[in-house]
Amino acid sequence: MLIFYSMLYLSICKDYTKITVFYALGMVVAFCLAWIFNKLLDMEVTFSMLLGLAIGFFLIAALEMGQIKDYFKDNSGNYKGVLEYFKKYWQLVIANFCYTLGLYTHNFVFWTTDLHIIVVKSYVCCEPFDMATYLAMLTSISCSVIFISNVERRFHGRYKDYSEAVIGGKLSEIARSELRMFRQLSFELMNISRTQFIITVVLFLAIVVLLPLYGMSGLVMQIYPCLAAA
């Protein structure tokens, strides 16, 4: 959670290069430590992977928080003030709540079925469904990456031109800037749809054709097409 919301702050700063470096460094550290824990310190494989991943995530979170502190130097301390935005933008709150429900409710449903497994009296999972969910997320996650890297970056320039026109431009300049801004947004959204469709089809066919050759079949391959479409 800390990593995810820190990334949102850094995306506001338009510092995409540092976000990439932080994630790459954290994953390299996680991989190397997992290998060291297992091969050199003779720890159990699963424990080595979880411990290495936890340390890698912590490193990413620390680097991101350090960058945020360096960028946002002032703090008003008015933490209650954010509650006013829940009332002002209640539509966004409801939309995000429904979006989150759509992402995770199905997992909780399957975690309560007879297929669920409890690991070390802590982790609840439904292995076939969770694996299918993971594959479906891999199929569609590129859309989020494309949105942040293309739409937000290119749309930001149009929005900046529009804002400058509002501050000191003529009415005709404001109208033209607004038209260009929404044209850019429409173009990028359509471009995302086309690109994501191609990526989804390619990954879908690759997963359906190749994974059964490596022993991944049965319920996973029955559930995956539905989740990929969703």
Side-chain angles (χ1 to χ4, degrees):
M1 293 289 287
L2 180 61
I3 289 173
F4 177 73
Y5 286 110
S6 298
M7 182 184 70
L8 291 181
Y9 276 99
L10 291 180
S11 68
I12 294 172
C13 306
K14 309 299 177 189
D15 216 338
Y16 303 112
T17 302
K18 286 189 177 179
I19 294 176
T20 305
V21 171
F22 293 162
Y23 270 82
L25 183 60
M27 290 300 96
V28 169
V29 169
F31 179 84
C32 292
L33 287 179
W35 186 87
I36 291 172
F37 292 149
N38 177 245
K39 299 298 183 182
L40 301 184
L41 301 181
D42 201 29
M43 294 182 180
E44 196 265 330
V45 174
T46 306
F47 182 77
S48 300
M49 293 172 64
L50 284 174
L51 183 59
L53 196 61
I55 295 173
F57 279 163
F58 182 80
L59 176 61
I60 296 172
L63 291 172
E64 288 185 340
M65 286 301 298
Q67 184 63 24
I68 290 173
K69 285 286 188 180
D70 184 61
Y71 192 90
F72 299 99
K73 298 183 183 297
D74 298 324
N75 184 359
S76 66
N78 183 24
Y79 298 110
K80 292 182 180 179
V82 71
L83 298 177
E84 298 177 2
Y85 290 93
F86 283 85
K87 182 179 179 180
K88 186 175 182 180
Y89 300 107
W90 60 270
Q91 297 97 330
L92 284 176
V93 176
I94 293 175
N96 189 68
F97 177 73
C98 293
Y99 172 73
T100 306
L101 279 182
L103 279 179
Y104 298 110
T105 301
H106 54 90
N107 288 100
F108 284 95
V109 171
F110 275 82
W111 289 341
T112 58
T113 65
D114 295 335
L115 297 172
H116 82 283
I117 301 172
I118 300 177
V119 183
V120 200
K121 299 181 181 180
S122 301
Y123 296 101
V124 180
C125 67
C126 177
E127 190 173 352
F129 187 81
D130 289 348
M131 178 57 68
T133 303
Y134 171 70
L135 294 174
M137 290 293 288
L138 285 182
T139 304
S140 61
I141 197 172
S142 56
C143 186
S144 301
V145 177
I146 295 170
F147 180 82
I148 293 176
S149 62
N150 285 353
V151 176
E152 187 176 296
R153 178 167 48 86
R154 295 172 183 170
F155 178 74
H156 178 73
R158 296 294 189 186
Y159 177 74
K160 183 179 179 181
D161 294 339
Y162 172 70
S163 300
E164 292 175 351
V166 170
I167 294 173
K170 298 178 181 179
L171 181 59
S172 58
E173 294 176 354
I174 296 174
R176 283 196 298 271
S177 299
E178 182 182 21
L179 182 61
R180 286 196 297 267
M181 179 177 66
F182 281 105
R183 279 180 176 173
Q184 184 72 37
L185 181 60
S186 299
F187 171 79
E188 294 298 342
L189 290 176
M190 288 298 298
N191 189 45
I192 280 181
S193 301
R194 290 191 294 265
T195 305
Q196 182 59 43
F197 177 77
I198 296 171
I199 294 173
T200 299
V201 170
V202 172
L203 290 179
F204 179 84
L205 292 175
I207 289 173
V208 170
V209 173
L210 297 178
L211 289 189
L213 300 178
Y214 295 92
M216 190 172 294
S217 57
L219 275 177
V220 176
M221 288 297 104
Q222 293 177 31
I223 297 171
Y224 166 70
C226 299
L227 288 175

